[in-house]
Amino acid sequence: MSAPTLDPRDGLAGAAGEPVRGKATVPAGLKIGPQGTSPYDEDTVPIPDPPATGRATVPGDHPPLWPVNAARTATGIARAVPGQRAFDPPGPTDTAVVLAPPLPPTPPPATAVGPETPTPPRKAGRRVVPKPKWVVAAVLVFVFVSLLLVEAYANAQFAPDHQGEAGDATIVPEQIVDGGPIINASPGQDARSYRLPPKTIALTFDDGPDPVWTPQVMAALDRYNAKATFFVVGSQVVRYPDEAKNLVDKGHELGVHTFTHPDVANLPDWRRRMEYSQTQLALAEAAGVRTSLLRFPYSSRVDAIDDAAWRMITQAGGLGYVTVVNDLDSDDWARPGVDRIIANMTPTGDAGAVILMHDAGGDRAETVQALDRFIPMMQARGYAFVTVTDGLRRTLADPETGAAPTVLRNTPASAEDQQRGLALASAVRIADWSLDFFAILFLVVGALTLARTLLLFVLSSRQARRRRGDWSWGPPVTEKVSVIVPAYNEREGIESAVRSLAGGDHPGGIEVIVVDDGSTDGTADIAESLGLPNVRVIRKPNGGKSSALNTGVAAASADIIVMVDGDTVFENDSVRQLVQPFADPGVGAVAGNVKVGNRKSLVARWQHIEYVIGFNLDRRLYEALRCMPTVPGAIGAWRKDALLSVGGMSDDTLAEDTDVTIAFLRAGWKVVYEGRARAWTEAPASLAELWRQRYRWSYGTMQAMWKHRRSIVDSGASGRFGRRGLPFLALFSIALPLLAPVIDLLAVYGVLFAGRTETALAWLAMLGMQLVTGVVAFKLDKERLTPLWTLPLQQFAYRQLMYLVLIQSLVTALTGGRLRWHKLVRTGEAAVHS
């Protein structure tokens, strides 16, 4: 196979020591790649290894040349280093893929450029990390909260009707206290009450409509051609509009029983009016009618009306309502038995009566049975069963002529009220559907969380047990290791990082290559000034992390490559421990144990918990399933030949470490976790920095999954990852975090509007599961358990930030944007914690 060459057509080849493209120079004799003979050797730039403490300068802004495998790579095609193009030079016996810098851009038409006409600099077209979309997040939160508030308001919780103790009745007219159950307190006239005439019964049913019991009550009434009045709850009408319409169609009467069934005595005036008006709108939308009858929840007889109740009655009269209480209470809500219900609702002698019953709010089987006995029994005694309005008309009829005023049961609603009712009903129904949807998601999240926890316990514990004692990967790995440190403005931590790497105890020797990617803060100068014999510094124009890593790989002299972030400090034995899995010839890459080295701030402590539980414990699980998706950039080791065969570090995604790890798995290499190799990194200390870092990670992971999506239909190792690793990533890295807010939303909803005890117990159970997982993870990592006391606080702040990061990443993932190598603010506080 012929040696790699520069494409002569590019016109960019330069003699040793000559400027290339007018920028950086190439030291005489410097060459990266295998040595060999080629018809195009005169076009190559030879580059020998510089002194250990010398300086290498990469020409232009392109990574150096190095070969790739001409066979199919893990992604299915032979590919070149990003930013380069491939061409096939003729060879005597075979054809090789050869890399060359990209063709220079076509020059623009010549124009006169004078000394006062400067050429504008070219700007990179890469996108920066977008700022958090707080407006979008606020809108989403507002929508969710609004839906939950509507649901909480409309979700009436019925308490049994009761007779409270009456207060003072100093302003209640005497004729009301001694009068009947139908009260008209219209303004401008004396308040009056009315009784039903003898042998007249108005059956009234509260709290409906109910999809189960209202039809059964209606069927019992229909069997005996009896009519009744149903005082309905507006929220129930919205939920079961067909039942309300059926009542009207069958000739029954509807009345207002408020929208949410509250104790209206405890409500302000505006809220009472809203309860009445919203029920009217619900009736207009469901049945096309409105009503002038009103019954307050928990009301009873006229002799129980006190001053507070009288004020409500007069206010309702001012709104045009006729208030209806009762003569007899069946107490069917208490389910005392059919005989007792019948006894409670039987009037004395031939007296007329308004009787209180219920068609909702619980099991009403006894109510239906009582109707089937009571109605025919009273009809046999000559009683008529009428609506409240019909009974009132009979009361008002002239005793001599029989003439009675026209009183409509339910008047038609206006078109405007029907439209407004539709808007109200739509809001409640959407809220109902949303809560049902959230409940389903809650079950999904619970199932995923439980499945993940069980898998973590079983597989991680099994892995830990298998590696106890004198377990080893095989014969000790003692060959030389090249450690690549891509660095961009890392002056705060570069010295600690380089010293910790160069001083490692690996017996085969450690070569440290610091690739300065256009730093402007003197990072390269600091690394060079250390004067360490096994440290080499390469300076190159800024091209991104992938470019810097590829530059280091090309310059590395060892067959094992370790990649380290410039802010990371290694323990003395970390390099040695990290490379031991390569004793297994099937291992292509190794993930180390990343630890948070700056733990002073609360945000950093939360990340420490996340690293131990969410990253390191997960890596044990993924290794057991042979689908580890990411070898972390802070500490990872690679076989150089395997890395070259998959095309090196790509800048196709924002998560180059995930991208290349997946490529290794698809190529059939094993990727394992070595927890004894520990690296201490500096985690973002502020929420803003954390946002930028996690956005890049989340977005990049989604890009990598999309890039390798075709592995789902592949065969062999690639298909195994596609059908195992991608679903795990989708479920546990995207779906579960995206759905996890449901737990918090429903917890808040439950505490405020539902069963507080049940909600608190459910939330504590979820927290307990996380705490147990944390204890297991910390024990496996030999970490102190003290930081776990902040775990409950993490649920209220840190998790919500991660939700927003993932949501924004998902929203923007399809844009295909690129980010520059973003530099986080560093303080150099990362240190080894004993």
Side-chain angles (χ1 to χ4, degrees), residues 394-408:
R394 293 188 181 194
T395 299
L396 297 175
D398 190 300
E400 295 182 0
T401 65
T406 300
V407 182
L408 298 178

Side-chain angles (χ1 to χ4, degrees), residues 426-448:
S426 298
V428 174
R429 289 164 189 161
I430 291 173
D432 282 346
W433 297 335
S434 299
L435 190 63
D436 292 341
F437 179 67
F438 287 159
I440 294 173
L441 289 183
F442 181 84
L443 295 177
V444 172
V445 171
L448 287 176

Side-chain angles (χ1 to χ4, degrees), residues 507-532:
I510 299 173
E511 171 192 44
V512 180
I513 302 173
V514 179
V515 182
D516 183 84
D517 192 55
S519 298
T520 58
D521 65 347
T523 295
D525 296 334
I526 295 174
E528 288 178 339
S529 67
L530 299 178
L532 298 174

